[in-house]
């Protein structure tokens, strides 16, 4: 038991030390875009949603419904709908639901690098998709190269024109086409030698620079459809990237005073699952390793303790000698009954048995009295006459039933004890 206790103390101390070491190690961020409501990594939306929930006075809520489901809801209250995804390929059902909501006065903002051909044909635009590589972003950031610029060119009466700077990997997608929607909100500046398509750029080209839209809007009925091609900016990283959060709020201000609902209905299912306590543990490396080490320790403990262990040997105490207590109990009974002769009779039987066993003398055989008395005298060193007188005096009590009192009983028993002690 003592060894097991020290083993447990060692394991607990080991786990504590490992947890402390892992907790103080540098954190490794996961740069995979999820846009998840509970994801606190750079390209999740936990911080993004939290800031908007506390910053937008008209209200900001979260949903997992599709555009079709949102369109089927109560139509009496107008709202703004925000959809953020890395690859938003809308079906014709979704597009028709979107346009119905815009027709009756809702404002829908779609933030993605792809939108699906049906929506592109309906709103008459094309989008250029650029694959996002986390390794390319890290390499570019560590090379200290300059960032690309996004120009805000929306309504100058509301916001002044301003330039925002992002890494090119965060804003590499854009819109293009022969005829674009009526209002461009923001555009990215390209060098003409890095522009990727042979198109008629008209007024978009100025000398060696090419300006391609990254955010634009289209009126539809009483509402509006807003298209944004930079979803990675609508994340925790974009919200915390210096003063660039201003760019996000300018785009969201296009919703007006409508309450905004962000839906995750078009994200991967893994990003929509609400984090359980184990997901929280697995999302943080120190906690993850603490969980792994705990499971390994439990498995090892089960393996080693599964061996046959010796049963605990009980402590067997030496039986207590109750002879004296028993004798006292029997003597008390005889004393209370005042059967003194019977007690002397029992004592005489014990004396006769001792003499037979020790010196082979039978004092119950009257015919051998002389030989027996002399033998007892030689063995005990007592006077022969004294021994003969005692035995002949006690025999009437033993065999004749003579009644004696307590004093006589004590004398007879003391004498027999004296003979036994001298054998």
């Amino acid at each position: 038991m003592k060894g097991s206790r020290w083993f447990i103390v060692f394991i607990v101390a080991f786990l504590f030390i490992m947890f402390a070491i892992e907790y103080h190690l540098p954190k490794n961020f996961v740069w995979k875009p999820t846009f998840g409501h509970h994801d606190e990594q750079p390209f999740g939306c936990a911080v993004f949603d939290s800031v908007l929930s506390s910053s937008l006075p008209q209200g900001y809520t979260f949903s997992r419904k599709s555009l079709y489901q949102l369109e089927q809801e109560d139509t009496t209250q107008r709202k703004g709908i925000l959809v953020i995804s890395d690859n938003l390929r809308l079906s014709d059902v979704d597009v028709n639901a979107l346009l119905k909501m815009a027709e009756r006065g809702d404002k829908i903002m779609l933030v993605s690098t792809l939108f699906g051909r049906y929506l592109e044909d309906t709103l008459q635009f094309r989008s250029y998709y650029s694959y996002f590589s986390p390794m390319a972003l890290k390499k570019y950031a560590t090379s200290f190269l300059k960032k690309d610029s996004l120009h805000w060119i929306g309504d100058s009466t509301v916001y002044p024109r301003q330039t925002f700077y992002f890494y090119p990997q965060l804003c590499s997608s854009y819109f293009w086409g022969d005829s674009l929607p009526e209002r461009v909100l923001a555009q990215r500046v390209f060098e003409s030698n890095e522009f990727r398509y042979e198109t008629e750029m008209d007024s978009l080209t100025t000398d060696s620079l090419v300006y391609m839209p990254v955010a634009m809007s289209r009126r539809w009925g009483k509402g509006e459809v807003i298209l944004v091609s930079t979803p990675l900016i609508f994340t925790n990283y974009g919200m915390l990237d210096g003063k660039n959060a201003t760019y996000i709020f300018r785009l969201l201000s296009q919703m007006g005073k409508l309450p905004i609902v962000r839906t995750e209905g078009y994200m991967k299912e893994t990003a929509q699952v609400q984090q359980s306590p184990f997901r929280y543990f697995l999302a943080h490396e120190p906690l993850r390793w603490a969980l792994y080490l705990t499971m390994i320790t439990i498995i090892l403990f089960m393996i080693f303790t599964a061996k046959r262990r010796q049963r605990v040997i009980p402590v067997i105490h030496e039986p207590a000698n109750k002879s004296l207590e028993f004798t006292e109990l029997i003597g008390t009974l005889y004393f209370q009954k005042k059967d003194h002769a019977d007690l002397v009779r029992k004592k005489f039987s014990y004396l006769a048995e001792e003499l037979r066993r020790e010196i082979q003398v039978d004092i119950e055989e009257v015919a051998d009295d002389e030989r027996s008395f002399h033998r007892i005298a030689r063995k005990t060193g007592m006077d022969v006459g004294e021994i003969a007188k005692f035995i002949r005096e006690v025999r009437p009590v033993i065999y004749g039933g003579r009644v004696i009192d307590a004093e006589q009983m004590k004398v007879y028993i003391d004498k027999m004890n004296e003979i036994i002690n001298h054998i």
Side-chain angles (χ1 to χ4, degrees):
M1 294 298 292
K2 185 176 180 180
S4 299
R5 184 163 54 251
W6 280 110
F7 174 76
I8 294 173
V9 171
F10 171 76
I11 292 298
V12 171
F14 176 74
L15 290 176
F16 179 79
I17 294 173
M18 290 300 298
F19 176 80
I21 292 174
E22 291 291 340
Y23 183 80
H24 288 90
L25 286 177
K27 304 295 186 299
N28 292 324
F29 292 108
V30 178
W31 294 90
K32 180 180 179 181
T34 64
F35 309 101
H37 179 63
H38 300 280
D39 190 357
E40 297 180 354
Q41 293 298 326
F43 292 142
C45 286
V47 177
F48 176 85
D49 289 336
S50 176
V51 172
L52 294 186
S53 298
S54 59
S55 301
L56 299 181
Q58 63 271 22
Y60 181 86
T61 56
F62 178 78
S63 174
R64 290 192 175 90
K65 296 181 180 180
S66 66
L67 292 173
Y68 176 79
Q69 292 172 316
L70 292 172
E71 190 269 329
Q72 297 297 315
E73 292 180 349
D74 183 18
T75 60
T76 59
Q77 182 181 4
R78 303 279 63 82
K79 57 182 175 291
I81 297 174
L82 174 63
V83 182
I84 305 174
S85 177
D86 189 38
N87 187 355
L88 184 62
R89 296 181 181 271
L90 297 178
S91 65
D92 53 350
V93 175
D94 294 322
V95 172
N96 291 332
L98 180 153
L99 297 178
K100 287 181 181 179
M101 288 188 288
E103 181 74 28
R104 65 194 184 206
D106 292 336
K107 293 188 177 183
I108 298 93
M109 179 178 289
L110 305 179
V111 185
S112 178
T113 54
L114 288 175
F115 298 88
R117 183 53 59 90
Y118 188 80
L119 181 64
E120 290 181 352
D121 292 341
T122 303
L123 298 183
Q124 300 178 354
F125 73 94
R126 291 291 180 267
S127 60
Y128 170 76
Y129 172 77
S130 177
Y131 175 75
F132 171 71
S133 172
M135 294 301 298
L137 174 61
K138 293 181 182 178
K139 185 177 180 180
Y140 193 92
T142 55
S143 300
F144 299 102
L145 299 175
K146 67 177 183 179
K147 296 182 178 181
D148 282 6
S149 57
L150 294 184
H151 295 289
W152 177 264
I153 58 172
D155 189 354
S156 59
T157 60
V158 180
Y159 295 112
R161 296 202 173 193
Q162 184 177 348
T163 302
F164 300 92
Y165 298 94
F166 297 93
Y167 289 113
Q169 289 78 13
L170 304 182
C171 53
S172 55
S173 299
Y174 52 83
F175 301 109
W176 62 278
D178 294 336
S179 59
L180 292 174
E182 57 203 45
R183 192 158 66 104
V184 176
L185 301 175
Q187 57 189 12
R188 180 186 171 188
V189 182
F190 289 93
E191 298 287 342
S192 60
N193 57 0
E194 65 173 326
F195 189 65
R196 298 167 175 78
Y197 286 97
E198 297 291 338
T199 62
E200 296 181 8
M201 290 168 280
D202 298 333
S203 62
L204 295 177
T205 304
T206 303
D207 297 331
S208 63
L209 299 180
V210 179
Y211 297 85
M212 299 305 295
V214 293
M216 57 189 183
S217 68
R218 172 74 176 270
R219 299 291 303 178
W220 195 272
K222 298 179 181 179
E224 187 176 0
V225 179
I226 305 168
L227 303 173
V228 182
S229 65
T230 55
L232 294 180
I233 297 177
F234 283 67
T235 57
N236 302 331
Y237 180 86
M239 185 62 71
L240 301 175
D241 185 17
K243 298 180 180 180
N244 290 328
T246 304
Y247 174 74
I248 299 175
F249 281 103
R250 287 191 178 188
L251 289 174
L252 291 174
S253 68
Q254 303 306 307
M255 298 284 197
K257 296 183 179 181
L258 298 179
I260 298 177
V261 178
R262 185 173 90 86
T263 176
E264 280 189 344
Y266 297 92
M267 291 167 48
K268 295 180 181 180
E269 293 183 359
T270 54
Q272 298 183 43
V273 178
Q274 185 172 358
Q275 287 190 336
S276 65
F278 274 105
R279 284 185 177 273
Y280 181 82
F281 272 78
L282 295 176
H284 299 79
E285 188 173 3
L287 297 179
R288 182 168 64 248
W289 276 105
L291 183 62
Y292 291 160
L293 289 174
T294 302
M295 296 176 65
I296 293 172
T297 303
I298 293 174
I299 293 174
L300 291 176
F301 182 76
M302 293 174 63
I303 292 174
F304 284 102
T305 55
K307 298 179 180 179
R308 183 181 179 88
R309 302 181 69 178
Q310 182 179 0
R311 185 181 300 175
V312 178
I313 300 175
V315 178
I316 301 176
H317 298 281
E318 182 180 356
N321 188 358
K322 303 293 184 178
S323 300
L324 180 60
E325 296 180 13
F326 177 74
T327 304
E328 291 178 351
L329 177 61
I330 297 299
T332 303
L333 292 175
Y334 275 98
F335 182 78
Q336 291 176 351
K337 292 175 63 178
K338 301 192 182 300
D339 192 357
H340 308 306
D342 191 49
L343 190 57
V344 173
R345 202 175 293 120
K346 294 290 192 299
K347 187 67 176 180
F348 186 81
S349 298
Y350 176 72
L351 173 64
E353 183 62 31
E354 286 291 313
L355 292 175
R356 275 193 294 270
R357 187 176 67 253
E358 297 294 336
I359 60 177
Q360 293 77 45
V361 171
D362 186 4
I363 59 175
E364 293 180 338
E365 187 63 39
V366 180
D368 293 336
D369 279 352
E370 292 301 325
R371 185 181 66 82
S372 298
F373 296 159
H374 283 83
R375 188 165 186 142
I376 293 172
R378 287 197 303 272
K379 187 65 175 176
T380 60
M382 298 174 66
D383 184 63
V384 176
E386 183 181 357
I387 293 173
K389 178 181 178 183
F390 167 71
I391 293 177
R392 290 191 176 100
E393 184 179 347
V394 79
R395 277 176 176 168
V397 179
I398 304 302
Y399 303 115
R402 183 165 67 88
V403 178
I404 60 175
D405 55 19
E407 291 295 331
Q408 291 176 314
M409 177 194 70
K410 186 175 182 307
V411 171
Y412 292 150
I413 290 177
D414 289 343
K415 194 64 177 180
M416 285 187 277
N417 286 334
E418 183 181 358
I419 296 173
I420 293 172
N421 292 334
H422 283 81
I423 294 177

